[in-house]
Amino acid sequence: MARLIFLGAPGAGKGTQAQVLAQAHGIPHISTGDILRQAVAEKTELGRKAQAYMDQGELVPDQLILDLVQERLNQSDAVSGWILDGFPRTVAQATFLDNLLHKMNQSCDYVVNFEVPDEVLVARLLGRGRKDDTESVICNRLEIYHEQTAPLINFYQARQQLVSIDGKQSIEQVNQQLAHLVSGIGSP
Ligand code: AMP
């Protein structure tokens, strides 16, 4: 049982770690970016609305994201835990999530902040080669991260939910630290 929010800039390693940890604990890895990319690939209405924002590295409007997250967290596989990767990304989204979890009688165990310097992020993202990983889009995404998402570090620190991890370490080292953190979470 674990309920975790992974916070960090694009390229910080959230997705890689979330995938491994979610599988190890039999809980869903909920990546809003993955859900949106799938919607784009399937050319659904959501995908058509989201695509232009994603291609530019802009945030998709909240109205497209909030219902999607609410629906996903209400699915039966999310009852016993989840890892949120890429959500929340703004203080407004975090406030929405707070209210939603309160209504659902759930609470997040930890918000894990992946700390990685910008120059390392840029090198990693250029190496990843995803469609939205061109240099100008990467710069835009990092700028938006610093402006809109980084304030969540203080938001969650003030609630004493924040745990920071050095995301420059190897995948294995980060994985070990996360495993240790999760092993300390008790049953509800
Ligand atoms: P990611 O895979 O998390 O880097 O997300 C890829 C893209 O999807 C982002 O650059 C945004 O355009 C969009 N996106 C993902 N999650 C969110 C979110 N919580 N709020 C707004 N846009 C998002």
Side-chain angles (χ1 to χ4, degrees), residues 3-5 98 101 107-113 153 155-164 181:
R3 296 191 181 106
L4 303 170
I5 294 171
D98 250 16
L101 293 179
S107 62
C108 162
D109 296 302
Y110 293 111
V111 179
V112 182
N113 177 33
I153 296 173
F155 179 95
Y156 285 117
Q157 193 148 40
R159 291 149 187 254
Q160 291 163 2
Q161 285 180 303
L162 195 82
V163 177
S164 285
L181 180 73

Side-chain angles (χ1 to χ4, degrees), residues 12 114 137 153:
F114 288 66
V137 176
I153 296 173

